[in-house]
Amino acid sequence: MIHFARRMKHMNRSEIREILKVTEDPEIISFAGGLPAPEAFPVTELREAASLALETAGTKALQYSLAEGLPSLRRKIAERSCTLWDANARMEDVQIVNGSQQALDFLGKIFLDEGDVVLCENPTYLAALSAFRAYGPRFAPVATDDEGMLPDDLEQKLASEKRARFIYVIPDFQNPTGRSWSLERRKALTDLADRFGVPVVEDNPYGELRFEGEFLPSLRALGNPDLTVSLGTFSKILAPGLRVAWLIAPPAILEQIILAKQAADLQPSTISQMQIDTYLERFDVNAQIARIRALYRARRNCMAEAIRETMGNTVSFPFPQGGLFLWLRLTEGIDTKALLAESIARKVAYVPGEPFHANGGGGNTMRLNFSYMPEERIREGITRLAGLIKEH
């Protein structure tokens, strides 16, 4: 008989991955995955960057390299993080990883024993919950409104949860709700984390996809940098297939992350790092991001207008200032998980809201992605979805 590790009992199939298998049908209008628009990928520039990297570095681009990542790319990430978010980062503070999901897994591995506690928003990113669950923690969701975690509830949780190991948050264009934290809530979070000595994990995959408003400082800039881990990725601004992301952390945490990295896969991809490093040197990444923002802003507006026109006051949703998602709250009693099969039969896919809630709930919510589909398909898909919702 085959015996698997106890941790496997905590691991479930990803709700999104299972839905995406269905959406490979080209007739499906998919609002399910957090997929960037493929037409926004800078294919020509990345092809040239890869060629230049191979011409310049030769066999070094194909060889093993540092576990920490390419120093020149780490330096660029640190400088950009300081410029955009006042992140108080040096090259030495940056660790390259193979996608942000790997960073989440490493954080679970280095921080969590079975029975430890993760404080998080409610709802929160379901793939982060999946990554942490492998290590057997308990989740303590903190009450959250449109401006972020409620400080009183966060303080109460920090005081009562003696095994709290870190606080996981997405302050900018949160997945799944699209909400962004106010500066006051960010300061309240870092003040409380500093007072209780609990690390904060700031996940920031969408931060550069801001359509309106001002960039706000990194939590690393507001609180104690020795207690803050900031995650970022090239997946949303260049292409997810590159699988290059990073975390910025203090030396004590980076030392443990590097051990996890060496045990997992030795190092990040050398050629992918050199390709991105060359791209950042030779091409205008700010112009690339400006094109993405304009495209996604138009698609967000299209989806929001279509929802208001077809669903009226039967649903509500926060209007995000950026990111990739709209979060719909339907009439109480409607189960979006139960409706999914019927929706897919009508060739429309979404992600039910319940899996984003660490300890259950949210059965009348759903997450819709607006970045992937063109506007005409967004309008058609929302019209079909509205018809289904009205029937129930």
Side-chain angles (χ1 to χ4, degrees), residues 8 28 31 65 174 248 333 389:
M8 295 307 298
I28 294 281
F31 302 139
S65 56
Q174 196 242 18
I248 300 172
I389 291 169

Side-chain angles (χ1 to χ4, degrees), residues 199-211:
V200 176
V201 175
E202 174 189 29
D203 200 354
N204 190 25
Y206 319 107
E208 295 204 55
L209 303 181
R210 176 172 283 282
F211 312 148

Side-chain angles (χ1 to χ4, degrees), residues 53-54 57-67 70 265-274:
L54 285 167
T59 56
K60 288 183 179 179
L62 304 175
Q63 187 56 279
Y64 289 116
S65 56
L66 294 173
L70 192 68
D265 59 5
L266 299 182
Q267 60 151 99
S269 164
T270 308
I271 182 62
S272 290
Q273 291 181 85
M274 287 189 174

